[in-house]
Amino acid sequence: MRSARKTLRRPEDFFAAGLVPRERRAGIAAVAARYALALTADVADLIDPADPHDPIARQFVPDAAELDRRPEEAADPIGEDAHSPVAGIVHRYPDRVLLKPLQVCAVYCRFCFRREVVGPGRALSPGKLAAALDYIRAHPEIWEVILTGGDPLVLSARRLAGVAAELAAIEHVKILRVHTRVPIAAPARVTPALLRALKASGKAVYVAVHVNHSRELSRDARRACARFVDAGIPLLSQTVLLRGVNDDARVLGSLMRALVECRIKPYYLHQCDLAPGTAHWRTGIARGQSLLRALRGRYSGLCQPTYVLDIPGGHGKSPIGPQYLRGDAGCGYQIEDFKGQRHSYRKS
């Protein structure tokens, strides 16, 4: 399917594109009244409207199930607000902070853990951005700044270069990491000017690309990713474990291989957070652990992400992958191989 070359932002746009049947009009309108909608033409083109289980549609096309909130779900599911000393900053870990210059995205993932705060027109004022940068200047323990949001690559190259120039002057900041969907959602935005803006920081720059299914890596997306790597900016991936999208070993393995082929190192596989209205995407942790077991040994070590849970309440991420080692140093260990067989290991 080739969609109109515009971003779909209203329920009517989704109906006109054939992505939502009109009998679901009332439910979709209710979702749109609560949460932001945006689906770029690049992503809409990947959807097969004839497939009721299309994994791309499941991520981006609104569904009335998003209004079903569970008791365990929270507007701030990972506790960022408690660690936000000034607007635009989240400081949960000793040596790094999130800097969120805006809360706008090129596309809005329906399962987003920040879905209560992202949306059009939400950006830091110049004064609040200056205060956020002042916070970074005042804390010499901050070694890494992670640009996120929203999606920082929605910023113009000029505005991005301005932020990068401010960070360039902060000596104790050595690493700039950018979290983005733009290479997938709007690959044409990855221009030489944008790449120059990122490198203007003078820091070691890393870009973490959010990808959940191998079909998201279209020809244009692959080219956009290659522009980063060819410019000397390493790429990492972030993937959310989603029921009906990638909760299958073959599908997940194909994604990880596709990422490595694009010179993107698989980094995190996230357990889906307890954001409002997202229960229909979440799998159990045991399911995630079994998927990681299925990847181990059957796919290259380059294809192994770290499975993590962002602990509710602001306590940070912890790895929750499968365990292969049993025993203790006094009695020796039993180590399990990728075929499920156990072997003794005793330190001499």
Side-chain angles (χ1 to χ4, degrees), residues 53-56 58 213 242-248 280-281 283:
H53 306 294
D54 183 87
I56 310 302
R58 183 157 170 74
H213 195 280
L242 299 169
R243 190 196 314 168
V245 174
N246 54 26
D247 60 334
D248 173 270
H280 55 296
W281 282 288
T283 70

Side-chain angles (χ1 to χ4, degrees), residues 88-265:
I89 291 286
V90 177
H91 195 173
R92 290 196 301 173
Y93 301 100
D95 71 340
R96 55 206 182 274
V97 296
L98 304 184
L99 172 59
K100 301 188 285 186
L102 79 172
Q103 297 283 27
V104 180
C105 297
V107 293
Y108 292 105
C109 304
R110 307 315 312 157
F111 50 86
C112 178
F113 73 97
R114 294 189 182 123
R115 63 196 327 239
E116 297 282 350
V117 296
V118 296
R122 299 180 182 181
L124 289 182
S125 67
K128 288 182 177 180
L129 179 57
L133 291 164
D134 283 343
Y135 179 88
I136 296 170
R137 292 187 188 97
H139 288 77
E141 72 274 20
I142 297 173
W143 175 78
E144 178 182 23
V145 172
I146 302 168
L147 281 184
T148 182
D151 193 319
L153 298 192
V154 171
L155 290 170
S156 68
R158 179 185 62 81
R159 291 182 65 196
L160 191 61
V163 174
E166 294 282 359
L167 294 173
I170 304 176
E171 176 62 26
H172 57 263
V173 173
K174 304 298 183 183
I175 308 295
L176 175 61
R177 193 195 326 169
V178 179
H179 288 186
T180 184
R181 267 284 209 184
V182 159
I184 305 301
R189 292 188 65 89
V190 184
T191 62
L194 181 144
L195 297 171
R196 288 194 299 271
L198 290 177
K199 299 188 77 171
S201 70
K203 311 299 181 182
V205 180
Y206 292 80
V207 170
V209 184
H210 181 171
V211 190
N212 297 324
H213 195 280
S214 60
R215 275 177 42 205
E216 295 175 53
L217 292 165
S218 65
R219 180 179 62 181
D220 288 343
R222 289 172 184 252
R223 288 174 174 171
C225 291
R227 288 194 282 274
F228 284 107
V229 182
D230 291 344
I233 299 174
L235 296 183
L236 311 169
S237 75
Q238 296 204 91
T239 296
V240 180
L241 179 59
L242 299 169
R243 190 196 314 168
V245 174
N246 54 26
D247 60 334
D248 173 270
R250 180 188 59 81
V251 171
L252 194 61
S254 294
L255 168 60
M256 297 305 152
R257 281 181 172 172
L259 289 167
V260 172
E261 290 165 9
C262 292
R263 297 179 288 174
I264 303 170
K265 176 65 183 80

Side-chain angles (χ1 to χ4, degrees), residues 15 20 28 31-32 42 55 66 79 81 114 169 174 238 253 258 274 348:
F15 301 143
V20 177
I28 300 309
V31 172
D42 292 279
E66 295 175 47
D81 289 350
R114 294 189 182 123
K174 304 298 183 183
Q238 296 204 91
L274 298 173
S348 58

